[in-house]
Amino acid sequence: MGEFAVHTQRVRANRPSQHWQVEFMQGQGAEPVLTASIVTAPRRETWSHRISQPPASLPAWEATEPFPNKASLTWMSQYEFRFAEGAPMIGETAADPPRSRVPCSGSRTPSRARSTSSRSLP
């Protein structure tokens, strides 16, 4: 196969991180034989992880009734679901999609998100 060359290009950088694109070329071919995307950043000492706790007011697992999902999708019927509150209502009609109570950009009709900045995004 022979020797190979590594071509690197920094495609994005900000204060804490850098994004690199790497290509490995081998032989006389113009096509890379391997590509990689790399993101680097310094390890921060301030990072911490707090283990979450379930709410104390939930009923015991055994006290909740299993959700009857045997007639639903095949893959879902392989699992047992129990809901402490707010079990889904599955029926003949599809549920309405969620809607915002606040109109977008002051209009009464939904619209795509708009940037309030005059600068263009990269």
Side-chain angles (χ1 to χ4, degrees), residues 13-92:
N14 53 30
R15 280 192 275 178
S17 66
Q18 294 181 352
H19 300 247
W20 292 82
Q21 185 67 36
V22 182
E23 293 181 336
F24 290 78
M25 310 292 235
Q26 191 169 29
Q28 301 299 324
E31 291 290 317
V33 293
L34 177 68
T35 62
S37 296
I38 302 171
V39 178
T40 62
R43 183 177 299 267
R44 296 184 183 236
E45 298 294 329
T46 59
W47 173 257
S48 65
H49 175 68
R50 223 174 47 182
I51 297 174
S52 64
Q53 297 294 321
S57 63
L58 289 179
W61 172 262
E62 298 80 19
T64 58
E65 291 293 320
F67 182 71
N69 64 338
K70 299 299 180 202
S72 62
L73 299 172
T74 305
W75 68 269
M76 283 185 65
S77 65
Q78 298 176 17
Y79 301 94
E80 181 177 290
F81 295 92
R82 294 178 183 239
F83 297 92
E85 60 182 37
M89 302 301 290
I90 299 176
E92 297 291 323

